[in-house]
Amino acid sequence: MELQLYNVAPRIPDELKFLETLSNNIWWCWHPQAIELFVRINPNLWRDVSGSVKEFLRMVPQARLEELARDSGYIRQLRAVQAEFERVIPKQDDVSKRTVAYFSLEFGIHESIRIFSGGLGVLAGDHLKAASDLKLPLIAVGLLYRQGYFRQVLDRNGWQTEHYPVSEIHNLPVVRGCDPSGKPVTISIRLVDRDLYAAVWVLWVGNVPLLLLDTELPQNPPDLREVTWRLYGGDKRMRLHQELLLGIGGFKALVAMGYSPAVCHMNEGHAGFLSLARISHLVNDVGYEPDVALETVWRSNVFTTHTPVPAGNEVFDINLVRPYLEVFANEAHLNVDRVIRWGIPINERDHASEMSMTVFGLRLANYSNGVSRLHGEVAREMWKHLWPQRSVSEIPIGHITNGVHIASWVSTRLWGLYERYLTPKWANNPDKAVLAAGIRSLPDEELWMAHELCRQSLVRRARRLMQNNFRYLTDDASAASFAKKKNVLDPDILTVGFARRFATYKRGTLLLRNPERLIALLKDKTRPVQFIFAGKAHPADDGGKRLIQELIQFAQRENVQDRLLFLENYDIGMARSLVQGVDVWLNTPRRPQEASGTSGMKAAVNGVINCSILDGWWAEAYNGENGWAIEGNDYYTEDEDRDNYESQELFNLLENEIIPCFYERAGGDLPVRWIKRMKESIVTGLGDFSSTRMVEDYDRMFYRPATKAYEELTADNAAYARELVARKERYVRNFDGGKLYIEQPKVDGSLENMHVGDRFRVSTRVYLGELKPEEVDVEAYYGTVNAHNEIISSVSEKMHVLENFGNGNYRYGCEVTCKVSGRFGLTGRIKASGKEWDNSVPGFMCWPK
């Protein structure tokens, strides 16, 4: 029997119509007064639907809405929120002004929108929120997963199982994306011998439209409808389909809706294929030659790499990807082998079996970065083989340290405290000195009371979750055991939190390496400690699942379930409670495998104190007063030895510093030394690690320069891009053809007994082939060396023509000044002139043989 399906919702009174407007923009989720509008309607129902606004409004009884329409206090609050919303949100999107497109396979915006798995997605969500606050001309592109990432359920043995509840689209704050004429947009991409269709939906994140592609369409066969069912689901072919849809389909959606971005930002290699779509668009729709289009695209692309862990860098078997790329390469009038080579490191060209999406992204982006200072260093070392003729210090991968969206993560209690005592701009663009002074002057009593209320709120939530899970898992629940579940945790004792993806390198069970010391802490009567763990393991990661199981079984075996908890189904809502409510945020990755670690930043802005390995963000944030560092030992080369050593260091910190500091109440009821560290933690978090600062860095360092470059490249029918293509052809013939030559520089005099301030002259003979002196830079290249006589910190001094011997032969020279002391190495090189080629892969460079 065929049915016609329809929904019936309560009728929103005219006085409350703004609630419908608000439900279509996730802006509300980082504005406390807007959240309060929904909480006041029905607090219990709001909690039960986890902030799914449209579902919430459909479930509110008609009588309650009519009652609120007559509530003058509620109407005043609604009008105040409406005024603020209308002040910052444009009534109509001007597509011509959206110059930056941000592509990501996942977006973590709110727990009710399940299109994220973890830190990468939450970072992307915070990026959009900060861009909205800053009113940047940004548009985002992702996929609309109907099942999203899995719901974690733990069985009686503590083993993770995965469930995939379907998100009903009518409960999501999305509307169909339309073209300039108002017609709903559906795009298609060619998958070898058939088409994949996708509808385009728009989710508004404040001022930023997020385009989401959805393959749940009747035009698609069943297997292709599954492309946007699950995040990181399926086999490699499914992942390939998802990434082709994101990159190529996503860019097609932008064009269909009238957007014409000058800059495209790839958040990880998942979005790398968008470069092919951009090239194809410039070739087929604008009329550029393929090489001119390529030159324009790579010089206006941004690429961010988020992980030094090999498993986090996507690769595809060449035999799998080739048939797909033949289609898209043909559309862009490119040779498919050339396209595949863009994803293969130079040193693997002759025997490669896989295409790396990280390599593909780096090669096709003029602006590349890691996500912390240390990660930038690791990324340069990790990918230096793409630039084999450069020292590590010159590898063109910089860093922009991640940040977190303050308004999304600070507790309402602390937000009110900050609003009362800090300057008006404390959450955005603060004067750091003024901010620090204000935070340090916060009344100790008020700060501690706000934090204790957050801890108590966390304990209530944890107890509620444990009761719900207990009912689900146990068939023979006794009254006594159920009562015990209701009383887990103590709202008044030192609480340590560990919550993140359960990958083995994050070492979630480091504490279990010293079980006797751990049990002693958990059962201490005078200075008790409790630990809360949460996090999901990837469905295919049995090693990560075993870590979760070990924690749960340890707590059961030692009868410490009331002091060591694992909360299942970690999501954004649980993360908020944890980073606001624990006292210590624990992070124990194997250095240097943690690229950033934004959860620690979220904890810091709430006055929670970090105890972490000096990895990721903490390597640049830790100052000795704002938390604790778990010292490592680089002499240990085996993971087992390092894990044992760092576990001992962690317990030493807990026993000798952290626990005594928390329970020291010499001045009365307040832990004065602890509160001082809390304030320093807040200073660090608010001062340096907000997503506002992060997005401003992207705008200043990448977006604005790339936008300017795109304008220059495309002006006058791409005249500048065509000039660059002609120059590149000359460089390729001469540099790559081995036609150039440079002698090892000769020094006038002796380099013995040099001192700071001394100068010496160097000269060298070069052969430039068909190139002219103005097309190259001949440099004296020198710098400090390590024990292997490799230059580790380089300086280059431009040399000038001293003699022209004819037929491309010259003698160059310059003067070098000794500016600092140390052991140095000196050589010479020829490179393409100017900075236009500094970030190209591998670039154009010639060294003495």
Side-chain angles (χ1 to χ4, degrees):
M1 180 171 59
E2 185 175 347
L3 300 176
Q4 295 188 44
L5 303 177
Y6 58 97
N7 297 308
V8 178
R11 184 179 301 279
I12 305 294
D14 290 343
E15 294 86 350
L16 306 180
K17 281 295 184 182
F18 173 65
L19 291 176
E20 290 186 327
T21 301
L22 198 56
S23 72
N24 286 316
N25 192 320
I26 202 67
W27 176 90
W28 62 263
C29 81
W30 72 92
H31 291 82
Q33 288 297 314
I35 296 172
E36 183 65 20
L37 282 179
F38 299 115
V39 174
R40 285 182 64 179
I41 295 174
N42 188 323
N44 292 331
L45 177 60
W46 178 253
R47 185 186 67 196
D48 291 344
V49 301
S50 300
S52 177
V53 175
K54 288 198 167 184
E55 181 181 7
F56 174 76
L57 290 178
R58 287 191 179 97
M59 296 175 69
V60 175
Q62 185 73 45
R64 176 58 176 156
L65 294 174
E66 300 293 346
E67 179 185 359
L68 288 168
R70 299 188 297 271
D71 185 332
S72 59
Y74 186 85
I75 296 299
R76 277 197 304 273
Q77 182 178 351
L78 184 144
R79 294 289 175 256
V81 173
Q82 181 176 0
E84 178 63 13
F85 180 86
E86 292 175 349
R87 184 182 70 83
V88 298
I89 304 298
K91 293 188 181 300
Q92 190 169 0
D93 184 26
D94 186 346
V95 298
S96 66
K97 293 183 178 180
R98 298 282 179 183
T99 55
V100 179
Y102 181 90
F103 287 68
S104 181
L105 199 61
E106 54 174 298
F107 288 91
I109 301 165
H110 186 264
E111 58 267 29
S112 64
I113 305 169
R114 296 185 303 104
I115 56 174
F116 67 96
S117 71
L120 176 71
V122 175
L123 184 281
D126 281 8
H127 193 108
L128 301 195
K129 293 173 185 177
S132 172
D133 293 340
L134 293 167
K135 294 184 171 59
L136 289 190
L138 187 138
I139 184 169
V141 182
L143 302 183
L144 182 60
Y145 303 100
R146 293 301 186 103
Q147 297 181 1
Y149 206 49
F150 66 90
R151 185 188 188 281
Q152 180 191 52
V153 176
L154 304 173
D155 66 18
R156 298 184 194 185
N157 297 314
W159 188 256
Q160 171 185 294
T161 58
E162 296 85 32
H163 293 248
Y164 291 88
V166 175
S167 295
E168 298 183 26
I169 199 144
H170 62 272
N171 285 331
L172 297 176
V174 295
V175 295
R176 277 301 306 268
C178 297
D179 65 18
S181 70
K183 179 182 177 182
V185 170
T186 299
I187 60 94
S188 67
I189 63 173
R190 190 72 175 166
L191 298 182
V192 187
D193 59 351
R194 55 184 180 161
D195 291 328
L196 171 65
Y197 294 89
V200 182
W201 298 86
V202 180
L203 190 160
W204 280 92
V205 184
N207 287 299
V208 175
L210 168 57
L211 275 56
L212 296 170
L213 277 62
D214 172 23
T215 60
E216 185 61 48
L217 294 175
Q219 298 98 305
N220 289 323
D223 63 316
L224 292 187
R225 293 183 190 181
E226 295 179 13
V227 170
T228 57
W229 278 11
R230 296 180 180 179
L231 173 60
Y232 303 134
D235 58 12
K236 273 290 188 179
R237 189 178 299 275
M238 178 65 76
R239 286 289 290 274
L240 177 59
H241 288 172
Q242 289 183 335
E243 296 188 16
L244 289 168
L245 178 63
L246 173 65
I248 294 174
F251 190 81
K252 282 189 172 184
L254 288 173
V255 173
M257 291 181 65
Y259 295 101
S260 183
V263 178
C264 285
H265 183 171
M266 297 170 274
N267 191 40
E268 265 299 354
H270 311 128
F273 292 124
L274 76 84
S275 294
L276 292 178
R278 290 193 77 190
I279 293 169
S280 181
H281 168 66
L282 291 175
V283 170
N284 297 306
D285 299 337
V286 183
Y288 291 177
E289 294 84 1
D291 283 341
V292 174
L294 169 63
E295 203 66 30
T296 303
V297 166
W298 86 263
R299 291 180 180 276
S300 56
N301 272 350
V302 178
F303 178 78
T304 299
T305 177
H306 285 268
T307 176
V309 180
N313 292 277
E314 189 81 77
V315 296
F316 292 111
D317 185 276
I318 290 175
N319 292 327
L320 170 64
V321 79
R322 177 183 290 276
Y324 294 89
L325 292 189
E326 283 178 348
V327 174
F328 301 114
N330 286 336
E331 287 182 2
H333 299 271
L334 294 166
N335 178 276
V336 67
D337 290 318
R338 182 185 183 190
V339 171
I340 290 173
R341 282 198 300 272
W342 291 340
I344 300 173
I346 295 168
N347 61 337
E348 298 178 13
R349 285 283 172 82
D350 297 331
H351 56 272
S353 61
E354 294 179 325
M355 176 179 171
S356 165
M357 294 306 295
T358 302
V359 172
F360 196 82
L362 288 168
R363 190 181 298 276
L364 290 173
N366 191 35
Y367 307 89
S368 300
N369 70 287
V371 291
S372 70
R373 184 194 305 149
L374 178 59
H375 181 228
E377 296 171 5
V378 172
R380 287 189 288 276
E381 180 66 33
M382 187 173 182
W383 302 108
K384 66 182 180 182
H385 54 274
L386 297 182
W387 294 271
Q389 293 186 318
R390 304 190 193 188
S391 68
V392 173
S393 64
E394 287 191 317
I395 301 301
I397 302 175
H399 82 274
I400 293 178
T401 301
N402 282 342
V404 298
H405 189 248
I406 305 300
S408 295
W409 296 104
V410 169
S411 73
T412 54
R413 297 176 179 91
L414 281 176
W415 184 278
L417 191 65
Y418 297 162
E419 287 284 284
R420 285 198 301 276
Y421 289 103
L422 302 183
T423 58
K425 292 186 177 181
W426 67 269
N428 292 299
N429 303 308
D431 180 300
K432 291 182 183 178
V434 173
L435 176 71
I439 292 168
R440 289 170 183 141
S441 65
L442 290 174
D444 286 3
E445 297 84 355
E446 293 189 49
L447 178 58
W448 185 243
M449 180 179 294
H451 176 67
E452 288 205 300
L453 289 171
C454 289
R455 191 192 315 117
Q456 292 165 14
S457 177
L458 169 61
V459 168
R460 287 195 300 272
R461 177 176 183 140
R463 288 174 174 175
R464 185 171 65 249
L465 290 171
M466 293 301 291
Q467 290 176 63
N468 293 339
N469 297 345
F470 184 77
R471 291 192 186 100
Y472 179 81
L473 294 175
T474 306
D475 298 324
D476 55 350
S478 66
S481 59
F482 183 72
K484 187 173 182 179
K485 292 287 182 183
K486 292 175 64 176
N487 294 295
V488 296
L489 302 179
D490 185 325
D492 298 315
I493 70 174
L494 175 60
T495 305
V496 180
F498 180 101
R500 53 194 27 87
R501 182 165 56 89
F502 260 73
T504 51
Y505 79 89
K506 293 178 183 284
R507 300 187 299 184
T509 56
L510 195 64
L511 285 162
L512 300 188
R513 287 183 169 269
N514 286 273
E516 297 83 6
R517 294 174 80 175
L518 177 56
I519 292 168
L521 294 182
L522 294 170
K523 294 186 175 182
D524 191 300
K525 301 296 184 183
T526 58
R527 298 190 305 184
V529 185
Q530 59 196 4
F531 294 85
I532 304 177
F533 291 85
K536 297 177 178 179
H538 187 280
D541 183 7
D542 283 353
K545 292 180 181 181
R546 277 192 291 273
L547 298 182
I548 296 172
Q549 187 179 49
E550 287 173 20
L551 285 166
I552 293 171
Q553 293 186 348
F554 173 85
Q556 293 172 342
R557 184 174 64 250
E558 303 298 336
N559 195 29
V560 290
Q561 300 102 314
D562 59 331
R563 293 283 173 85
L564 194 155
L565 260 64
F566 191 99
L567 301 179
E568 74 177 17
N569 203 37
Y570 183 51
D571 66 5
I572 290 176
M574 186 184 293
R576 272 199 307 272
S577 292
L578 286 166
V579 299
Q580 294 170 5
V582 300
D583 300 295
V584 175
W585 194 254
L586 183 61
N587 189 28
T588 55
R590 288 194 184 101
R591 176 184 163 104
Q593 297 184 56
E594 182 85 285
S596 178
T598 52
S599 64
M601 303 174 191
K602 296 160 191 166
V605 299
N606 282 287
V608 173
I609 305 175
N610 278 269
C611 176
S612 174
I613 298 290
L614 286 170
D615 200 7
W617 83 289
W618 195 234
E620 61 193 89
Y622 174 66
N623 62 17
E625 298 177 351
N626 57 356
W628 291 275
I630 304 169
E631 298 290 345
N633 191 327
D634 293 336
Y635 288 110
Y636 290 118
T637 58
E638 297 295 328
D639 287 345
E640 185 72 13
D641 294 332
R642 179 188 292 188
D643 293 352
N644 285 330
Y645 177 85
E646 291 176 357
S647 176
Q648 297 286 352
E649 288 295 299
L650 172 56
F651 276 100
N652 291 342
L653 279 176
L654 286 167
E655 294 165 352
N656 301 325
E657 297 189 39
I658 297 174
I659 295 171
C661 184
F662 182 85
Y663 285 106
E664 180 187 287
R665 310 292 166 99
D669 294 332
L670 298 178
V672 176
R673 283 202 302 128
W674 188 273
I675 294 171
K676 183 178 180 182
R677 280 188 183 264
M678 287 178 63
K679 291 179 179 180
E680 293 306 314
S681 183
I682 297 169
V683 168
T684 299
L686 294 184
D688 294 308
F689 295 98
S690 73
S691 60
T692 300
R693 186 273 310 152
M694 174 188 74
V695 172
E696 284 179 328
D697 284 349
Y698 276 107
D699 188 41
R700 173 177 51 83
M701 296 168 60
F702 294 166
Y703 295 163
R704 279 183 279 169
T707 300
K708 181 180 179 182
Y710 184 83
E711 293 169 351
E712 294 173 346
L713 288 159
T714 56
D716 300 324
N717 193 28
Y720 180 46
R722 296 175 198 279
E723 176 194 332
L724 290 172
V725 169
R727 286 167 58 185
K728 179 183 284 187
E729 290 173 352
R730 286 173 58 79
Y731 288 142
V732 168
R733 283 198 306 271
N734 287 271
F735 280 92
D736 295 356
K739 295 180 180 179
L740 306 188
Y741 172 79
I742 180 172
E743 288 183 351
Q744 182 66 33
K746 296 179 180 177
V747 178
D748 294 346
S750 172
L751 290 179
E752 296 293 328
N753 299 317
M754 301 299 294
H755 298 84
V756 173
D758 288 350
R759 301 179 179 181
F760 58 90
R761 294 196 61 81
V762 297
S763 62
T764 184
R765 289 179 65 108
V766 302
Y767 174 67
L768 300 182
E770 65 183 86
L771 297 177
K772 299 175 183 177
E774 57 267 27
E775 295 180 278
V776 299
D777 289 335
V778 179
E779 298 175 337
Y781 180 84
Y782 60 99
T784 54
V785 297
N786 59 20
H788 304 289
N789 291 331
E790 300 167 331
I791 293 178
I792 57 175
S793 180
S794 62
V795 181
S796 59
E797 194 76 46
K798 190 171 181 179
M799 305 175 83
H800 305 282
V801 175
L802 300 179
E803 294 182 74
N804 182 349
F805 301 111
N807 297 320
N809 292 284
Y810 301 87
R811 187 167 73 90
Y812 277 75
C814 70
E815 186 176 75
V816 174
T817 302
C818 300
K819 296 181 180 179
V820 295
S821 60
R823 181 170 177 78
F824 288 79
L826 169 70
T827 187
R829 68 181 180 186
I830 308 171
K831 61 188 286 285
S833 66
K835 296 187 176 297
E836 291 96 336
W837 311 100
D838 283 357
N839 295 352
S840 61
V841 183
F844 302 105
M845 208 165 288
C846 174
W847 300 84
K849 296 195 171 148

